[in-house]
């Protein structure tokens, strides 16, 4: 029976090349016939009971939230969203704590390991303006002191003015959160650009192994990443626009970059990008 199933799936794979309906079925089978169906997780070591996953606005939040919720479904661990009333109860003694502000309030960070993901602040700025002009998130539609909503205000501006507004608005607040984080030995700072293009999952494997994933858990985490990453099965569309870095080069003027540098001196260096905004801009335009 086992070999018959494999032969049937192989036939479906060949048919999927020319038949859209067969392709849908084959893709569904690939998603559901996971390693989790056969993995024995009872003896997998869990050296740290907590895995912290932190992001900031426009640094891969939706990507990592979906990925690690999926990992918990596969590995039967518990997923807790610290910003929302959202939890997936698992039967194994590991909790994934997800925080899209990377504050981890009231969490003893010595009980586990994890990471917070940051992104080039110039690309954060570009992505934030695009998103805030089109999103239906509730806070964007609440009137401010001038009677206009955030979305109405930013849509009434030119691109340059919108970027300047965003530096003193939502993105500026996120950058301040990034800089104010009290770094610990148990929470690594990682860069979105290094991981969004990690097709062979080499960097991801090293990071997750350091964070305490072992054996079958490590394989299941890589499966979840492949399912929900642009380098894997995730398709662009909806919230997912582009994983490309360096989008700011065609979008941000000198005035915007100087405002960013004025508000946050040495920002890139403090975020681990090892260059100042002014020096980077001069180099890019030379």
């Amino acid at each position: 029976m086992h070999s018959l199933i494999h032969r049937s799936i192989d036939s479906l794979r060949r048919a999927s090349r020319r038949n859209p309906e067969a392709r849908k079925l084959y893709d569904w089978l690939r998603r559901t016939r996971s390693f989790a169906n056969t993995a024995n997780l009872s003896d997998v070591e869990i050296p740290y009971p907590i895995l912290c996953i932190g992001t900031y606005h426009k640094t891969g939040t939706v990507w990592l939230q979906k990925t690690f919720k999926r990992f918990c479904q596969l590995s039967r661990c518990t997923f807790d969203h610290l910003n929302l009333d959202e939890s997936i109860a698992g039967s194994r003694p590991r909790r994934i704590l997800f925080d899209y502000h990377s504050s981890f309030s009231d969490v003893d960070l010595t009980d586990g390991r994890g990471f917070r993901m940051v992104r080039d602040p110039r690309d954060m700025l570009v992505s934030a303006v695009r998103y805030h002009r089109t999103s239906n998130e509730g806070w964007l539609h609440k009137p401010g002191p001038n009677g206009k909503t955030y979305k109405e205000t930013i849509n009434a501006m030119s691109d340059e003015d919108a970027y300047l507004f965003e530096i003193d608005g939502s993105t500026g607040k996120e950058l301040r959160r990034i800089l104010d984080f009290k770094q610990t030995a148990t929470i690594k700072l990682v860069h979105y650009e290094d991981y969004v293009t990690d097709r062979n999952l080499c960097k991801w494997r090293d990071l997750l192994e350091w964070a305490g994933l072992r054996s079958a858990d490590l394989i299941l985490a890589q499966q979840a990443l492949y399912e929900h990453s642009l380098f894997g099965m995730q398709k662009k569309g909806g919230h997912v626009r582009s994983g490309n870095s360096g989008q700011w080069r065609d979008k941000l003027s000198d005035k915007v970059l100087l405002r960013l540098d004025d508000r946050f001196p040495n920002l890139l260096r403090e975020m681990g990008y090892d260059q100042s905004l002014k020096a980077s801009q001069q180099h890019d335009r030379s």
Side-chain angles (χ1 to χ4, degrees):
M1 177 63 73
H2 187 71
S3 61
L4 177 60
I5 292 172
H6 276 279
R7 285 199 301 273
S8 299
I9 292 173
D10 189 56
S11 297
L12 187 61
R13 177 183 60 80
R14 292 194 299 271
S16 71
R17 297 171 183 170
R18 58 185 182 276
N19 186 320
E21 292 305 314
R23 181 69 195 181
K24 290 179 183 178
L25 180 56
Y26 177 63
D27 286 343
W28 179 83
L29 281 170
R30 287 200 306 166
R31 289 194 298 270
T32 56
R33 289 182 66 257
S34 67
F35 178 75
N37 293 333
T38 57
N40 179 7
L41 302 176
S42 59
D43 296 324
V44 175
E45 181 186 3
I46 300 181
Y48 309 108
I50 293 176
L51 174 59
C52 296
I53 310 295
T55 64
Y56 300 91
H57 190 48
K58 311 314 295 180
T59 70
T61 296
V62 173
W63 171 37
L64 296 188
Q65 180 181 339
K66 288 183 176 180
T67 293
F68 285 94
K69 281 177 68 174
R70 176 61 172 155
F71 168 67
C72 286
Q73 291 169 347
L74 295 173
S75 64
R76 299 186 283 283
C77 294
T78 296
F79 178 92
D80 286 322
H81 197 314
L82 299 183
N83 315 102
L84 304 172
D85 184 17
E86 182 179 16
S87 181
I88 298 174
S91 59
R92 298 182 64 222
R94 178 191 279 118
R95 292 177 66 206
I96 308 294
L97 302 183
F98 183 85
D99 187 338
Y100 59 44
H101 291 316
S102 293
S103 60
F104 300 112
S105 300
D106 302 322
V107 176
D108 185 353
L109 297 179
T110 62
D111 283 346
R113 285 190 173 184
F115 64 88
R116 60 188 183 112
M117 180 169 283
V118 299
R119 185 181 185 183
D120 186 319
R122 298 163 295 188
D123 282 329
M124 284 178 64
L125 189 57
V126 171
S127 182
V129 168
R130 181 193 299 126
Y131 180 70
H132 293 159
R133 281 177 162 171
T134 60
S135 173
N136 290 319
E137 282 194 24
W139 70 273
L140 290 167
H141 298 269
K142 293 181 179 178
N146 63 355
K148 292 185 177 181
T149 68
Y150 198 100
K151 185 174 182 178
E152 288 171 339
T153 301
I154 204 168
N155 274 321
M157 295 177 172
S158 67
D159 286 350
E160 182 175 69
D161 286 342
Y163 293 131
L164 295 171
F165 172 77
E166 192 68 36
I167 290 170
D168 294 323
S170 174
T171 297
K173 291 179 182 178
E174 285 300 278
L175 295 176
R176 180 51 55 196
R177 287 190 181 100
I178 292 172
L179 297 176
D180 288 346
F181 184 86
K182 305 300 183 185
Q183 192 61 47
T184 71
T186 58
I187 303 293
K188 281 191 175 184
L189 185 145
V190 301
H191 298 100
Y192 172 90
E193 295 81 5
D194 292 334
Y195 291 85
V196 75
T197 57
D198 186 25
R199 294 180 179 277
N200 294 322
L201 298 172
C202 297
K203 290 184 175 66
W204 273 115
R205 182 181 177 87
D206 289 345
L207 176 63
L208 294 173
E209 193 167 13
W210 171 85
L213 269 61
R214 300 288 184 268
S215 127
D217 276 345
L218 197 55
I219 296 172
L220 294 173
Q222 290 176 95
Q223 176 181 323
L225 278 160
Y226 189 76
E227 288 183 11
H228 290 288
S229 298
L230 288 172
F231 56 71
M233 297 171 65
Q234 177 66 51
K235 306 300 181 185
K236 292 182 182 179
H239 190 96
V240 180
R241 303 279 302 185
S242 171
N244 296 336
S245 60
Q247 298 178 54
W248 65 271
R249 289 184 173 86
D250 298 324
K251 302 289 185 181
L252 303 186
S253 66
D254 288 339
K255 182 178 181 180
V256 173
L257 291 167
L258 288 171
R259 172 74 65 86
L260 193 56
D261 194 53
D262 178 65
R263 294 289 191 271
F264 301 96
N266 302 315
L267 176 62
L268 289 185
R269 184 176 290 114
E270 291 185 50
M271 289 176 63
Y273 287 90
D274 196 29
Q275 55 185 327
S276 75
L277 286 162
K278 290 179 180 177
S280 172
Q281 179 68 353
Q282 290 168 359
H283 174 74
D284 289 332
R285 292 176 181 245
S286 62

